[in-house]
Amino acid sequence: MKRRNNLKYLLSIIIIVIGFTTKAQTLKPTPPSAFEPLLEFNTSFIKQQKVKSITFDIIDKKDFEAPVDRNLTHFYEFDSIGLLKRFYYTTIVKTIEKEYHTEPVYRKRRKISSGSVYFKNEYVYDTISTVYIYQNTNLILKRYNDGTYYESRYYNYDAKNRLSKERRVKETNLSSDKSNFILGSQTVISEDSFQYLDITPRQYKQICLNSENRPYKEIIFNLDSVGNIISKNESYTVAWIIQNVIYTYNKNRLASATFKGNANGDVVLKTTYEYDDMNCIYTEKQYKNDVELKEISYVTEKANQRLNSFIIRDPIKKNMRIVKLLYVTDSLLVSEKH
């Protein structure tokens, strides 16, 4: 009887674990992504689904106007363990208005419609890309490319996998092919290092030092019983600037993040998250000084729990951006582009 009860207990644990691993999502709210334009990709879900790449197909729409497709895309490529290894997006650098003429239409030598003139916008695009390189899942290099300009960030970590150094470097590419980077010259823009002081099991301090190895900022992190960051308090050594962030959670999921700072007057930023019954992100709202800036609605497929699309609504500018996700996994197209 005891053995049977043990087997039952083990089976229940397995079911719980399976439930938590399958109830995943493409994007997930995290403290670092709370005030960023896009949520973080869920690495374990990307790996589980064997996703090779995701393309964001973007359409913009103003209130009371027809949707406009400017062929804008965001492309994300992942490695075999679900880490983002390349990202690029298109941006419009110039809009050209072109004039087009249509010929008159005749039927049995009778002109049934005259020719016309119409104008159409055509766009000149530029591509901005970023490459990510890892070591033991730690990001050690992020290289940004905007045309001929390259800027890289190099990262080092301590024994607890905490960031210990960040170097920002301007670089040149000796290769004429952008896809093959051959390092030429390097110019250091900035170099910061970080030291840590463990105060209690649930609190630690991060000391930020500049290139002269002088501290310029201290950050106190407070954690809950499972290791989630519940608050972050920043103070600058030679200034009166103070910045604080408070995070709340619901069933171990990030529910809200509130930032307060006085670097440019008193500012309060807040982001809230709601989840569906699959534990997937459903709604995200962003506020500044209690004024709603954006509302993002996420649509997730119940069958495979992949994020299908999301809509970014700007109530101030009265427009929205509709984003459709196109997945590629194992060289197979798994979501058709509309």
Side-chain angles (χ1 to χ4, degrees), residues 10-39:
L10 289 173
L11 182 60
S12 65
I13 292 295
I14 291 171
I15 290 172
I16 290 172
V17 171
I18 291 174
F20 276 112
T21 54
T22 55
K23 285 183 179 295
Q25 54 188 331
T26 307
L27 301 176
K28 65 174 183 179
T30 62
S33 67
F35 304 105
E36 295 296 323
L38 181 69
L39 298 178

Side-chain angles (χ1 to χ4, degrees), residues 38 41 75-79 83-89 129-135 138-144 153 155:
L38 181 69
F41 285 97
F75 177 84
Y76 303 86
E77 185 179 0
F78 305 92
D79 63 15
L83 295 171
L84 179 65
K85 67 177 184 180
R86 187 165 68 105
F87 163 58
Y88 70 78
Y89 66 95
S129 66
T130 306
V131 173
Y132 303 82
I133 298 176
Y134 302 85
Q135 185 178 67
N138 285 329
L139 179 65
I140 60 173
L141 170 61
K142 182 167 66 175
R143 179 173 288 120
Y144 166 88
R153 291 179 182 264
Y155 305 97

Side-chain angles (χ1 to χ4, degrees), residues 166-185:
E166 178 181 349
R167 285 185 301 138
R168 184 175 162 219
V169 182
K170 179 183 176 182
E171 299 178 330
T172 59
N173 185 5
L174 297 181
S175 173
S176 58
D177 183 0
K178 288 185 179 181
S179 61
N180 297 321
F181 184 83
I182 301 175
L183 181 61
S185 63

Side-chain angles (χ1 to χ4, degrees), residues 95-185:
T95 302
I96 302 173
E97 187 179 63
K98 285 196 172 184
E99 180 179 318
Y100 291 88
H101 298 263
T102 61
E103 299 293 331
V105 177
Y106 293 89
R107 185 175 296 169
K108 294 182 180 181
R109 298 184 178 181
R110 288 183 54 194
K111 184 163 71 173
I112 59 174
S113 68
S114 301
S116 62
V117 178
Y118 67 95
F119 298 89
K120 183 179 179 181
N121 287 334
E122 294 192 356
Y123 305 104
V124 178
Y125 298 93
D126 196 5
T127 301
I128 315 298
S129 66
T130 306
V131 173
Y132 303 82
I133 298 176
Y134 302 85
Q135 185 178 67
N136 299 327
T137 71
N138 285 329
L139 179 65
I140 60 173
L141 170 61
K142 182 167 66 175
R143 179 173 288 120
Y144 166 88
N145 172 233
D146 179 2
T148 58
Y149 178 78
Y150 290 85
E151 184 176 305
S152 296
R153 291 179 182 264
Y154 291 85
Y155 305 97
N156 295 92
Y157 300 85
D158 63 13
K160 294 184 178 181
N161 289 324
R162 298 182 295 196
L163 183 65
S164 61
K165 183 176 290 188
E166 178 181 349
R167 285 185 301 138
R168 184 175 162 219
V169 182
K170 179 183 176 182
E171 299 178 330
T172 59
N173 185 5
L174 297 181
S175 173
S176 58
D177 183 0
K178 288 185 179 181
S179 61
N180 297 321
F181 184 83
I182 301 175
L183 181 61
S185 63

